[in-house]
Amino acid sequence: MLELCRVIFVEGKTDKEQLQEILNESIEIACTNGTLGSEKLEEWIIKYADYDVYVLADADEPGEKM
């Protein structure tokens, strides 16, 4: 059986903790910690190239930037 590879990007540690409490399956959750530098972005693009990617951000300036 083919395993789905998924990652959810969130802004902060609290967002990650809240998602982990409600998810019924094992999904990787990555935190941007409010900022996303080009070096880290490039690292994630390589790491998650074959993943389904979901972005959950707040409706504020840092969330819009993300």
Side-chain angles (χ1 to χ4, degrees), residues 10-43:
V10 296
E11 291 182 68
K13 181 181 172 185
T14 303
D15 299 319
K16 180 177 180 174
E17 290 168 349
Q18 289 176 339
L19 267 178
Q20 287 172 326
E21 287 181 19
I22 63 170
L23 291 175
N24 289 334
E25 55 189 289
S26 178
I27 297 176
E28 189 161 350
I29 302 172
C31 291
T32 66
N33 296 315
T35 59
L36 189 58
S38 58
E39 187 175 307
K40 189 66 174 176
L41 180 59
E42 185 175 335
E43 178 185 319

Side-chain angles (χ1 to χ4, degrees), residues 9 14 20 33 37 48 51 56-57 66:
F9 284 90
T14 303
Q20 287 172 326
N33 296 315
Y48 299 117
Y51 281 52
L56 302 179
M66 185 173 129

Side-chain angles (χ1 to χ4, degrees), residues 42-63:
E42 185 175 335
E43 178 185 319
W44 280 341
I45 288 171
I46 293 167
K47 181 176 181 178
Y48 299 117
D50 295 327
Y51 281 52
D52 288 337
V53 175
Y54 302 88
V55 178
L56 302 179
D58 298 331
D60 58 10
E61 188 175 336

